[in-house]
Amino acid sequence: MLLARPRRNRKTSAIRHLVEETVLRPADLVMPFFVVDGENKKEEIKSLPGVFRLSLGLILKEAEKLHRQGIPSIALFPVIDPQFKDTQGTAALHEDGLIVRVLQTLKREIPSLCLITDIALDPFTSHGHDGIVDTRGHVMNDPTVEVLCKMASLFGAAGADIVAPSDMMDGRIGAIRRQLDLSGLEEVGILAYTAKYASSLYGPFREAVGSTLKFGDKKTYQMNPANSREAVRQAVLDAEQGADILLVKPALFYLDILAKIKEKVHLPLSAFHVSGEYAMVMAADANGWLDGPKVFHEALLSIKRAGADFIFSYAVPQILPFLELKSF
């Protein structure tokens, strides 16, 4: 019997590229932006080194630059002044609100850029929860969904190509799809946060948007990290209700979830390489323990290998040089 020699396919860089099973491209990436009101504002986020809260003009510059480098899409997350927050999250429905204005400008200035907007109330609520809360502190499902539908229609009309409900309320995908269609927004897509887990990795994000829980936790609506069958069930439900794309969040701790959903549901699948996953690598890089950009490239490659068709990541600027240069 001949000796098997798999190393022949690893002999040179050129051969390794020929037989490479998973390829990560700029077109596979979405860059999240934290949007703050005002002009020429660039605010440091201590727990997310290299990531900033930016006002519209600076986001426009950064988005144009990334788009020229092959990034097809950005995702917008609002940073709302606490004085405009209340228990109902009413600022989410202001017709001249921050995200509405940003969407209108970006769509006018960079029409080929795909704009994805978060649909959730936590940036707008004074208590920090993703929905409307009753007197017992319980997040109410159906009243929250009603607000999310209005929010999705408002943002869709302003220029969002894709709305991304991240709240994890039951039935919100079908309700939002119906509302968009009734509003003449049939071409606006829905990216469903299908499996958003109650993770410990969201801390830096919450600092970035200024959303702090005043009571309780999010375990009654975000998913239990112990469960995987539940994620597949949720994916099937979201697909049946009209989702165009599904998302798993976080990414690296949930690669098995990506793989299982990929097998069961034949919709495009995305993943969110979240703030905590980014912050840990940046901290190790700052201490000289890891090479941050190389780790980010390997991490995002593993997310795509597990089944993600595209990935949200704060590390886009760090890994773009790896994707642009193929050295043999």
Side-chain angles (χ1 to χ4, degrees):
M1 181 176 177
L2 292 175
L3 174 65
R5 295 189 183 275
R7 286 185 57 190
R8 284 195 286 263
N9 286 342
R10 307 173 200 150
K11 185 174 65 172
T12 67
S13 179
I15 293 173
R16 289 193 297 273
H17 282 299
L18 283 174
V19 301
E20 196 167 61
E21 298 175 30
T22 306
V23 178
L24 188 67
R25 312 164 299 158
D28 299 325
L29 304 174
V30 176
M31 180 68 192
F33 280 100
F34 297 108
V35 188
V36 66
D37 214 345
E39 295 183 8
N40 295 315
K41 284 189 177 179
K42 184 177 183 179
E43 300 175 355
E44 180 184 9
I45 304 168
K46 290 184 179 180
S47 58
L48 288 173
V51 180
F52 301 88
R53 303 181 195 95
L54 300 174
S55 56
L56 173 56
L58 297 178
I59 286 179
L60 183 59
K61 286 183 180 179
E62 289 297 314
E64 286 178 328
K65 177 183 175 183
L66 290 171
H67 200 37
R68 287 195 302 269
Q69 293 175 293
I71 300 299
S73 180
I74 65 171
L76 300 173
F77 297 90
V79 182
I80 304 301
D81 190 310
Q83 68 177 317
F84 299 122
K85 298 184 180 186
D86 59 29
T87 58
Q88 305 296 305
T90 54
L93 301 182
H94 288 174
E95 293 187 358
D96 62 345
L98 175 60
I99 291 296
V100 169
R101 288 181 275 118
V102 171
L103 284 167
Q104 290 170 338
T105 300
L106 288 171
K107 184 52 64 178
R108 181 177 66 249
E109 299 296 327
I110 321 175
S112 60
L113 181 67
C114 175
L115 301 178
I116 301 174
T117 52
D118 184 49
I119 302 294
L121 292 183
D122 53 323
F124 302 94
T125 55
S126 53
H127 46 68
H129 277 286
D130 293 51
I132 297 172
V133 176
D134 66 15
T135 55
R136 299 171 297 137
H138 175 69
V139 176
M140 297 185 291
N141 194 92
D142 295 358
T144 298
V145 170
E146 290 182 18
V147 179
L148 298 176
C149 288
K150 295 175 183 177
M151 189 178 177
S153 291
L154 179 65
F155 290 176
D161 297 289
I162 298 172
V163 294
S166 62
D167 55 287
M168 293 299 289
M169 298 297 118
D170 291 337
R172 90 274 203 216
I173 301 304
I176 289 172
R177 182 71 271 160
R178 287 189 293 274
Q179 182 63 50
L180 288 171
D181 291 351
L182 287 171
S183 302
L185 298 168
E186 299 91 345
E187 294 188 359
V188 174
I190 298 176
L191 184 153
Y193 279 59
T194 283
K196 183 178 182 180
Y197 283 87
S199 173
S200 302
L201 295 168
Y202 302 146
F205 175 90
R206 290 174 183 162
E207 179 199 343
V209 297
S211 178
T212 302
L213 278 177
K214 295 298 190 292
F215 58 86
D217 55 41
K218 301 192 176 187
K219 293 180 180 179
T220 64
Y221 45 101
Q222 293 179 358
M223 284 181 49
N224 184 345
N227 294 354
S228 63
R229 293 195 304 272
E230 184 183 5
V232 175
R233 181 190 182 207
Q234 188 73 58
V236 171
L237 287 171
D238 287 351
E240 290 174 347
Q241 290 179 33
D244 299 286
I245 303 167
L246 306 179
L247 181 139
V248 173
K249 181 179 182 179
L252 289 172
F253 287 12
Y254 298 87
L255 297 180
D256 61 318
I257 306 302
L258 278 165
K260 288 178 180 180
I261 291 177
K262 190 77 168 184
E263 289 179 0
K264 297 293 184 181
V265 181
H266 299 155
L267 284 177
L269 181 61
S270 60
F272 208 127
H273 179 234
V274 299
S275 59
E277 293 168 325
Y278 174 88
M280 288 189 289
V281 175
M282 291 299 287
D285 181 80
N287 281 283
W289 300 334
L290 293 173
D291 185 318
K294 288 184 178 179
V295 172
F296 283 137
H297 182 253
E298 185 176 344
L300 268 60
L301 192 65
S302 76
I303 296 167
K304 191 173 183 197
R305 189 183 66 237
D309 296 296
F310 63 93
I311 306 162
F312 293 70
S313 178
Y314 305 98
V316 168
Q318 284 93 331
I319 69 163
L320 270 176
F322 287 86
L323 309 185
E324 293 167 357
L325 300 175
K326 287 285 190 180
S327 175
F328 298 110

